[in-house]
Amino acid sequence: MESAVGIQSFLQEGYPFKCLFKHRFTDFIVQEIDLKGQVAIISDKTKWLNFDQKQDQKPQQKDKTLPFANLTLSEEFIQQSNQLFGEENTTKFQQLVEKVRTTGKCVQFETKVALPQLKEDRIKVHQLIRQNIPFLESFTKNAHNQKNKAEKKEDKSNQKLEEQEQFLQDHILIKTSNINFKKYVASQTTNKVYGESKKFVKFLLMKRNLDSINAGMFISKQLGLSNKHFAIAGTKDKRGVTTQWATLQGMEIGQLIEIQERKFWNQNILMIDYTFQDQGIRLGDLYGNKFIVTLRFLNELSQNEQVELVKNIENVKLFGFVNYFGLQRFGSKQKIKTHQIGKEIIKKNWKECIRMIILSSQQEDQEKLNILFDLDDFVTMSNLINPRLRIEKQLIDNLLQNGVHNYFTALQSLPRNARELYLHAYQSYIWNKMASMRLQQYGNKLVVGDIVSGNVNEEGAEDEGDEIIQQQQIVDDDEKQQKNQTISQCILVTEQNISQYTFDKVVLPIYGHKINIPEESIVSKLLQNIFQEEQITKQDFEEASNKFFIDGNFRYLVQIPSEVEHQLFKYQNKDQDVVDSFGELLIDEGEYQGLLIQFKLKKSSYATMLIRELTKCPSTLEFQQEISGEFN
């Protein structure tokens, strides 16, 4: 699988170590690093308990003041209510408030009052309710405006009669508002503790066994919001324990606290450490991530093996690893990979592209769907496809609507980010192949013809004679984390300037629109070979760029981690958690051996590729399943 997406080389030679990776959720801990270098760690670690522990715990009785315990109706309100609504309605209001005050629960209530003729009086009614009974809402119900067009036309001939009927039928409806009730409850716990409310709430989101997108969807659903109100700087893995910053628009902090106390709240999600701010988080607003990784070895390491393991770690620490795009970028669980679909888009094979998208997510009925596709029987296909597969359903519906052979129009109907997913995956595949070929043909030393980053050299060493290569910026569609890419100019390595640069500054192009590559560079030769193997041309890319805006950029060939620390330990039970959710070692005795390693990476680099370089073993799911079988 790795070779199929261009991952073929290691940066350094070393002894291979078979080990289990991500065996337990706590074996893979990710903590986001913001643009100021702050690591995302929650302030109160006791707030985070393992899901199993929470399941075993009995709900504790909460000793807290009821939200409406101090709510009373003033004499002034009662007097105005008697005048506007009558004594009967005023008594109803008093009974309602008393019930809510003593129970703390939202009570359903509804009543109608006469509509005052003067606008000023109508405003007084709404203000009186809003200011004195915050969990109620009031609406002006105009009988005339509720009629259909035919009725309005018929009534127009007799305006006086209409006005009389309107006076009799129009009213103000006063009823319970669940939303207002929750907002009031939330406001009681918010402003005093967290300061003045602003447009966005920023908080730390800690989760396990859930990817960032689905966590955001769950939170938004609990709040009754659209997903667009939830924002993060970058996506985090599903299988692991991850912590990152997030923002929600238009919320009170008390509401975020309240939903986490509900019976059906997902205990694998924690929101904590709230602040208000004027701006929401944007994709790419992070420096990188800190990783705390546990590797479980099959056998106890001998003394010589421990020495070799330390050598591997030191090599990664000093020289880094090949900065490949990891397998998750290509859809590691799917038979048809995202980059294969991207290639068909580049080659303008629209029909094959649509076929592959529809079949890529199908575990069953793939052969049957393939036959139906050739028969243009999209009605039957639509019934077979899982309704949750929105992309596939959208393609089929578009073909049924606009013509079964109108494949390009169907593809264009997809959201832009969905189309770009396939194209960016193919760009990543070409980059991976280029990286492997560069290392295989020229080794891990800087050579004339390489391209290096010119703007990250702290000494600003580029000479006036160096050729500056400018390029466009792109948004990385997998991690969404190259938005603020630091490489803005690149330099061709020559005999004259080679001494000014080091191998870790070498960059390779993510080939795309308007990217400028000197013909005398190594990259130019590598690209020619790759295009020949792939049976595509630069013109194919240019034409695709005109249709889909495939921007180009440069990416470092190697990535060197920072703050690398490691510790060998022992444990007794194969399936036990050996660290807590914050990376603290829980046990160091037993017959099995493991490695705890932590490091920091810049954004858009894959920890799986570092582990691959460290262990000199494949990062594929199949290999891990094989190791798991041996382990058990």
Side-chain angles (χ1 to χ4, degrees):
M1 170 57 192
E2 285 188 339
S3 179
V5 295
I7 302 173
Q8 298 173 342
S9 301
F10 292 104
L11 190 61
Q12 304 284 336
E13 293 182 355
Y15 187 90
F17 291 90
K18 281 187 175 183
C19 61
L20 274 179
F21 177 48
K22 294 187 178 182
H23 183 61
R24 301 284 294 173
F25 295 127
T26 53
D27 287 358
F28 191 68
I29 299 170
V30 185
Q31 298 164 343
E32 190 171 88
I33 306 171
D34 68 12
L35 293 172
K36 296 180 180 179
Q38 182 181 356
V39 179
I41 302 175
I42 65 174
S43 60
D44 185 358
K45 294 181 179 180
T46 61
K47 292 285 186 182
W48 178 264
L49 296 173
N50 287 331
F51 180 63
D52 294 335
Q53 290 177 322
K54 285 196 173 184
Q55 287 287 82
D56 295 337
Q57 289 178 346
K58 294 180 180 180
Q60 297 179 353
Q61 295 293 328
K62 297 176 184 176
D63 182 19
K64 62 179 183 179
T65 305
L66 296 176
F68 289 89
N70 298 321
L71 180 64
T72 57
L73 296 178
S74 66
E75 290 296 331
E76 183 181 0
F77 170 83
I78 294 172
Q79 183 179 357
Q80 293 182 15
S81 177
N82 284 333
Q83 293 174 355
L84 291 170
F85 311 133
E87 292 184 3
E88 183 179 350
N89 277 324
T90 301
T91 301
K92 289 181 181 179
F93 290 139
Q94 290 175 306
Q95 293 172 344
L96 170 67
V97 168
E98 180 63 20
K99 192 170 184 179
V100 172
R101 188 182 68 80
T102 55
T103 64
K105 296 180 179 179
C106 187
V107 178
Q108 296 304 312
F109 174 84
E110 183 175 310
T111 189
K112 296 178 183 179
V113 298
L115 181 71
Q117 288 183 303
L118 296 177
K119 182 179 180 180
E120 293 78 6
D121 292 337
R122 293 197 292 271
I123 293 174
K124 286 181 181 179
V125 170
H126 296 302
Q127 289 179 340
L128 186 67
I129 294 299
R130 188 183 306 118
Q131 294 172 1
N132 290 275
I133 314 180
F135 54 84
L136 293 183
E137 57 187 351
S138 57
F139 304 94
T140 298
K141 292 293 183 178
N142 191 305
H144 172 67
N145 289 339
Q146 293 175 351
K147 293 182 180 181
N148 60 38
K149 291 182 179 179
E151 289 174 326
K152 289 179 182 179
K153 188 175 182 179
E154 183 179 345
D155 286 346
K156 196 172 183 180
S157 60
N158 195 339
Q159 190 173 353
K160 289 185 179 180
L161 179 61
E162 180 190 82
E163 291 174 353
Q164 293 175 2
E165 290 178 351
Q166 184 177 341
F167 178 77
L168 292 173
Q169 296 178 14
D170 289 356
H171 62 272
I172 291 179
L173 176 65
I174 302 171
K175 66 175 186 176
T176 303
S177 168
N178 292 328
I179 295 176
N180 287 354
F181 186 92
K182 291 177 181 178
K183 282 184 177 180
Y184 182 85
V185 173
S187 68
Q188 302 307 295
T189 59
T190 301
N191 294 340
K192 292 182 181 179
V193 180
Y194 302 101
E196 182 184 356
S197 176
K198 295 184 179 179
K199 191 174 183 181
F200 294 89
V201 176
K202 181 181 179 181
F203 57 93
L204 279 176
L205 169 65
M206 192 171 179
K207 61 179 183 62
R208 80 168 192 174
N209 196 30
L210 196 65
D211 63 61
S212 303
I213 302 301
N214 281 309
M217 291 173 64
F218 176 82
I219 293 168
S220 300
K221 185 177 180 181
Q222 293 296 311
L223 292 166
L225 293 174
S226 165
N227 295 338
K228 67 181 181 181
H229 290 81
F230 175 85
I232 51 177
T235 57
K236 300 290 181 282
D237 295 65
K238 175 183 178 181
R239 187 166 182 81
V241 180
T242 70
T243 311
Q244 64 190 119
W245 282 277
T247 55
L248 275 164
Q249 185 177 1
M251 286 289 105
E252 292 291 345
I253 291 172
Q255 293 172 270
L256 307 190
I257 296 172
E258 184 271 327
I259 62 171
Q260 294 182 87
E261 296 175 350
R262 294 177 184 173
K263 181 179 180 180
F264 298 106
W265 178 257
N266 187 335
Q267 301 294 345
N268 288 318
I269 298 175
L270 173 67
M271 296 183 291
I272 194 173
D273 295 341
Y274 311 95
T275 57
F276 286 114
Q277 60 183 40
D278 294 319
Q279 298 293 328
I281 288 175
R282 295 178 298 176
L283 292 171
D285 284 351
L286 75 161
Y287 173 82
N289 296 284
K290 178 181 178 180
F291 297 89
I292 304 173
V293 179
T294 301
L295 302 179
R296 300 170 187 251
F297 299 110
L298 296 182
N299 303 304
E300 184 175 352
L301 301 181
S302 66
Q303 192 67 35
N304 287 338
E305 286 176 325
Q306 291 186 33
V307 171
E308 292 297 328
L309 177 62
V310 172
K311 283 183 182 179
N312 286 5
I313 295 172
E314 287 301 312
N315 279 337
V316 168
K317 186 176 180 179
L318 292 173
F319 306 110
F321 58 97
V322 188
N323 196 23
Y324 286 122
F325 289 97
L327 296 178
Q328 56 265 52
R329 187 165 181 80
F330 306 97
S332 57
K333 294 183 180 180
Q334 297 173 334
K335 293 182 180 179
I336 300 174
K337 307 303 178 187
T338 51
H339 75 283
Q340 294 173 310
I341 299 171
K343 180 178 180 178
E344 298 306 320
I345 296 177
I346 295 291
K347 296 177 71 173
K348 299 186 286 293
N349 291 338
W350 313 125
K351 178 178 180 179
E352 191 60 25
C353 170
I354 299 297
R355 183 202 303 269
M356 293 172 75
I357 293 175
I358 292 174
L359 297 182
S360 63
S361 57
Q362 303 302 312
Q363 301 298 326
E364 301 175 358
D365 295 325
Q366 200 172 68
E367 185 177 346
K368 185 175 182 179
L369 287 170
N370 199 26
I371 294 172
L372 292 172
F373 188 91
D374 288 330
L375 295 173
D376 298 331
D377 189 355
F378 294 105
V379 174
T380 305
M381 287 183 71
S382 181
N383 294 328
L384 283 176
I385 294 285
N386 189 325
R388 294 183 178 180
L389 300 175
R390 291 179 292 177
I391 295 295
E392 293 80 352
K393 291 288 287 184
Q394 184 170 336
L395 287 174
I396 293 173
D397 291 345
N398 192 276
L399 288 169
L400 289 171
Q401 182 178 351
N402 297 310
V404 294
H405 294 153
N406 203 344
Y407 304 113
F408 179 71
T409 301
L411 181 64
Q412 287 285 70
S413 73
L414 296 181
R416 178 176 173 176
N417 62 344
R419 299 194 305 266
E420 290 179 349
L421 169 71
Y422 309 116
L423 291 163
H424 289 168
Y426 190 60
Q427 288 178 298
S428 304
Y429 164 74
I430 290 177
W431 192 97
N432 281 357
K433 286 197 70 170
M434 198 185 319
S436 295
M437 292 172 67
R438 163 62 184 80
L439 291 167
Q440 291 164 6
Q441 295 180 25
Y442 300 95
N444 57 6
K445 304 295 182 183
L446 186 69
V447 298
V448 172
D450 273 326
I451 297 174
V452 294
S453 171
N455 69 309
V456 294
N457 191 326
E458 293 180 355
E459 298 178 0
E462 62 264 25
D463 294 331
E464 291 183 6
D466 293 339
E467 181 176 358
I468 303 297
I469 307 161
Q470 302 288 351
Q471 67 280 336
Q472 303 290 321
Q473 293 184 344
I474 72 165
V475 176
D476 185 287
D477 201 77
D478 179 16
E479 299 289 338
K480 300 285 187 181
Q481 290 177 5
Q482 292 191 105
K483 186 176 181 181
N484 300 321
Q485 180 58 260
T486 57
I487 306 173
S488 62
Q489 62 181 25
C490 298
I491 296 167
L492 180 68
V493 176
T494 64
E495 294 283 0
Q496 289 71 36
N497 66 13
I498 190 169
S499 62
Q500 298 174 7
Y501 304 104
T502 53
F503 184 68
D504 61 296
K505 297 298 187 288
V506 173
V507 294
L508 297 178
I510 302 172
Y511 191 77
H513 187 53
K514 292 184 179 179
I515 193 163
N516 183 20
I517 301 172
E519 291 185 7
E520 62 269 35
S521 68
I522 288 173
V523 164
S524 180
K525 299 172 186 176
L526 296 176
L527 272 174
Q528 288 178 14
N529 293 335
I530 291 172
F531 284 168
Q532 188 174 356
E533 289 179 11
E534 291 291 300
Q535 298 182 335
I536 61 172
T537 65
K538 291 184 179 180
Q539 186 178 352
D540 290 333
F541 249 107
E542 290 171 2
E543 292 177 358
S545 295
N546 292 333
K547 291 183 175 69
F548 301 103
F549 308 104
I550 317 170
D551 291 331
N553 203 353
F554 283 88
R555 177 180 174 90
Y556 286 104
L557 173 60
V558 300
Q559 194 65 253
I560 299 178
S562 62
E563 300 184 29
V564 180
E565 298 178 12
H566 73 277
Q567 179 181 351
L568 281 168
F569 64 90
K570 291 188 175 182
Y571 61 104
Q572 186 61 38
N573 188 330
K574 291 180 180 179
D575 297 322
Q576 73 183 122
D577 285 325
V578 294
V579 298
D580 64 17
S581 295
F582 304 94
E584 295 295 328
L585 199 61
L586 299 173
I587 190 170
D588 191 12
E589 56 182 18
E591 59 178 306
Y592 299 105
Q593 195 157 39
L595 172 71
L596 181 64
I597 182 168
Q598 59 180 295
F599 50 88
K600 291 181 179 179
L601 290 179
K602 295 178 181 179
K603 61 184 177 182
S604 193
S605 294
Y606 292 75
T608 51
M609 294 297 100
L610 183 147
I611 300 303
R612 175 183 179 273
E613 181 74 33
L614 171 64
T615 61
K616 300 295 185 288
C617 288
S619 62
T620 62
L621 178 63
E622 292 77 13
F623 183 77
Q624 281 297 302
Q625 289 174 338
E626 178 185 329
I627 298 299
S628 182
E630 294 179 30
F631 192 69
N632 294 322

